[in-house]
């Protein structure tokens, strides 16, 4: 597997940004043992409903706080107490701030070092996100808005857990600028195409026919955008109006975990059982389309330099845009000065105005 250093993206191994780390359904019951950004982590839901993310290892003797199924702490239901988590080894208890607030066999002053590093955890759209920041600062952009989530005519998604792939995220992000794979891999006949880069957002607008997803020369139009380096949404107009969501998060250097989901507008204001079934089936079609990319990524060698043709999409520009997240924020402006704007591709009409105003919403 290839590393960030080999791609020469920037000095930070893992990019700054919002990243999905779990779907909400995974969190029911017991604390989760996770690994992201080269670190072992623990994610749990406190009894108030609050989600808490912290380093995995107890400061006492480095026990993993979540990865245990046999201690009486776990059996007796004292693993999670209120919004606290208790270590399975000697039962020290830590608050959602990571500070040890009870040691059952010691009534002296709890040592200041008895604390665990915590991270921001936000629940949105049925998923848990964290803000990863090599500079350890506050978020400098927000998660994407998704007003359709609260629109009752949309069938809410359940996530496809796509698992862990030995592929550097750079290879995945290249896809945002990849005009010429759309025909061979996905069966699209692209009639217009463009990319746009601005600030932390990278957009791809394209439309045309499709071998299987539309009939009678209808258009399948997608307006797709990254909000930061790891969260992608796509407005898809085909058989149904839908919002596709893809998240990929670094696990280790050159290894990512990914999820896919689709929010589908049903023909009725409140979806019937049939509408839900149709939405699930449509999500499966979308997942299969994404699996076509996965098939390539899991088997390809790392591409450090694209042998780019003028009629390829703007891979080089997309890579420059992406590099801003692997460098201090202070460098973002200079990086963006090289790539911001709309980039059509030679031989391909740019997006019509309607597509431009539609995405991102
Ligand atoms: S190792 Fe966690 S309480 Fe001892
Ligand atoms: Fe693709």
């Amino acid at each position: 597997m290839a590393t960030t250093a080999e791609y020469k993206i920037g000095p930070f191994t893992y990019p700054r940004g919002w990243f999905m780390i779990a779907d909400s359904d995974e969190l029911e019951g017991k604390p989760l043992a996770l690994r992201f950004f080269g670190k072992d982590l623990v994610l749990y839901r406190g009894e108030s409903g609050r989600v808490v993310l912290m380093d995995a290892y107890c400061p006492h003797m480095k026990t993993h706080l979540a990865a245990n199924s046999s201690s009486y702490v776990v059996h007796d239901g004292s693993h999670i107490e209120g919004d606290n988590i208790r270590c399975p080894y000697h039962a020290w208890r830590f608050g959602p701030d990571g500070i040890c607030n009870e040691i059952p066999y010691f009534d002296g002053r709890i040592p200041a070092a008895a604390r665990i590093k915590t991270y921001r955890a936000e629940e949105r759209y049925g998923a848990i996100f964290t803000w990863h920041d090599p500079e350890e600062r506050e978020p400098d952009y927000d998660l994407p808005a998704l007003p359709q989530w609260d629109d009752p005519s949309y069938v809410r998604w359940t996530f496809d857990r796509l698992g862990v792939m030995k592929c550097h995220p750079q290879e995945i992000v290249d896809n945002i600028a990849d005009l010429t794979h759309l025909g061979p891999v996905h069966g699209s006949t692209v009639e217009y195409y463009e990319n746009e880069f601005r600030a932390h957002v990278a957009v791809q607008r394209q439309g045309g026919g499709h071998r299987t997803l539309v009939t009678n020369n209808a258009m399948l139009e997608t307006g797709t955008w990254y909000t930061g380096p790891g969260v992608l949404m796509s407005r898809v107009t085909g058989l149904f109006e839908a919002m596709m969501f893809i998240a990929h998060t670094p696990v280790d250097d050159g290894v990512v975990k990914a999820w896919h989901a689709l929010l589908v507008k049903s023909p009725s204001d409140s979806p019937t059982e049939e509408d839900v079934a149709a939405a699930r089936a449509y999500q499966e079609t979308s997942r299969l389309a994404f699996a076509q990319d996965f098939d390539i990524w899991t088997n390809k060698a790392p591409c450090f330099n694209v042998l780019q043709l003028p009629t390829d999409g703007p891979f080089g520009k997309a890579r420059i845009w992406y590099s801003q997240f692997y460098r201090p924020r202070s460098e973002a402006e200079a990086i963006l000065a090289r790539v911001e704007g709309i980039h059509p591709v030679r031989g391909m009409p740019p997006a019509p105005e309607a597509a431009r105003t539609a995405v991102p919403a």
Side-chain angles (χ1 to χ4, degrees):
M1 78 205 175
T3 62
T4 296
E6 288 174 278
Y7 284 87
K8 299 191 171 63
I9 315 175
F12 303 146
T13 304
Y14 304 107
R16 172 181 85 255
W18 285 105
F19 290 95
M20 180 168 168
I21 52 169
D23 64 72
S24 300
D25 292 343
E26 286 178 273
L27 255 192
E28 299 321 323
K30 64 189 298 295
L32 272 185
L34 298 177
R35 185 172 174 83
F36 290 110
F37 316 112
K39 276 185 298 216
D40 291 319
L41 301 163
V42 165
L43 180 71
Y44 67 91
R45 187 187 295 286
E47 286 169 6
S48 73
R50 168 176 185 181
V51 285
V52 180
L53 178 67
M54 56 174 67
D55 280 339
Y57 298 111
C58 177
H60 181 216
M61 286 175 69
K62 301 296 173 192
T63 294
H64 197 298
L65 292 177
N68 186 288
S69 56
S70 57
S71 162
Y72 277 110
V73 167
V74 176
H75 282 301
D76 292 349
S78 52
H79 203 177
I80 302 296
E81 268 177 11
D83 286 348
N84 307 293
I85 185 165
R86 200 180 278 283
C87 178
Y89 207 1
H90 313 95
W92 292 22
R93 194 181 71 178
F94 300 87
D97 54 3
I99 296 172
C100 179
N101 55 28
E102 191 193 272
I103 301 176
Y105 57 89
F106 179 63
D107 57 12
R109 207 175 60 84
I110 295 175
R115 63 184 303 159
I116 301 173
K117 189 170 167 57
T118 59
Y119 305 91
R120 189 181 289 262
E122 296 236 352
E123 190 160 22
R124 205 87 68 86
Y125 318 137
I128 318 295
F129 296 88
T130 192
W131 173 255
H132 178 261
D133 194 342
E135 296 175 280
E136 305 213 8
R137 289 173 57 184
E138 292 297 300
D140 54 4
Y141 67 88
D142 290 330
L143 278 163
L146 182 60
Q148 294 90 337
W149 183 255
D150 296 312
D151 179 338
S153 70
Y154 277 80
V155 178
R156 286 192 172 179
W157 56 45
T158 58
F159 283 94
D160 296 312
R161 299 167 187 162
L162 304 177
V164 169
M165 178 171 48
K166 278 188 191 159
C167 171
H168 193 280
Q170 175 66 78
E171 304 279 344
I172 298 174
V173 174
D174 282 340
N175 213 238
I176 195 72
D178 197 340
L179 161 61
T180 48
H181 89 297
L182 294 170
V185 173
H186 301 295
S188 310
T189 40
V190 182
E191 286 163 34
Y192 71 80
Y193 181 95
E194 70 183 21
N195 282 110
E196 181 180 0
F197 305 106
R198 72 179 131 81
H200 58 277
V201 178
V203 191
Q204 178 200 80
R205 303 182 185 96
Q206 71 86 33
H210 191 280
R211 248 158 90 158
T212 52
L213 294 180
V214 288
T215 47
N216 299 330
N217 296 329
M219 291 277 276
L220 180 73
E221 292 184 274
T222 60
T224 306
W225 72 101
Y226 270 101
T227 303
V231 173
L232 175 141
M233 296 227 267
S234 183
R235 172 178 285 173
V236 184
T237 59
L239 195 50
F240 298 100
E241 168 94 26
M243 292 297 294
M244 184 177 69
F245 176 93
I246 294 172
H248 66 85
T249 306
V251 171
D252 283 297
D253 196 3
V255 180
V256 293
K257 191 170 190 177
W259 294 262
H260 164 270
L262 195 74
L263 200 63
V264 181
K265 187 167 175 58
S266 65
S268 32
D269 280 348
S270 49
T272 62
E273 248 172 65
E274 239 167 66
D275 294 333
V276 174
R280 296 284 176 256
Y282 202 46
Q283 173 161 332
E284 181 58 8
T285 311
S286 170
R287 187 191 67 79
L288 289 172
F290 188 48
Q292 293 173 310
D293 291 308
F294 248 65
D295 195 13
I296 304 278
W297 294 328
T298 25
N299 296 300
K300 77 189 294 299
C303 176
F304 300 127
N305 293 295
V306 181
L307 178 53
Q308 187 180 330
L309 301 176
T311 45
D312 271 322
F315 290 118
K317 292 232 163 29
R319 285 194 169 193
I320 293 168
W321 170 83
Y322 184 54
S323 73
Q324 67 177 301
F325 305 110
Y326 289 80
R327 301 188 158 275
R329 295 163 164 69
S330 55
E331 294 178 28
E333 203 181 318
I335 291 168
L336 289 166
R338 299 165 62 197
V339 298
E340 268 190 323
I342 291 178
H343 304 279
V345 179
R346 188 191 289 183
M348 186 57 64
E353 201 47 43
R356 283 194 182 154
T357 45
V359 168

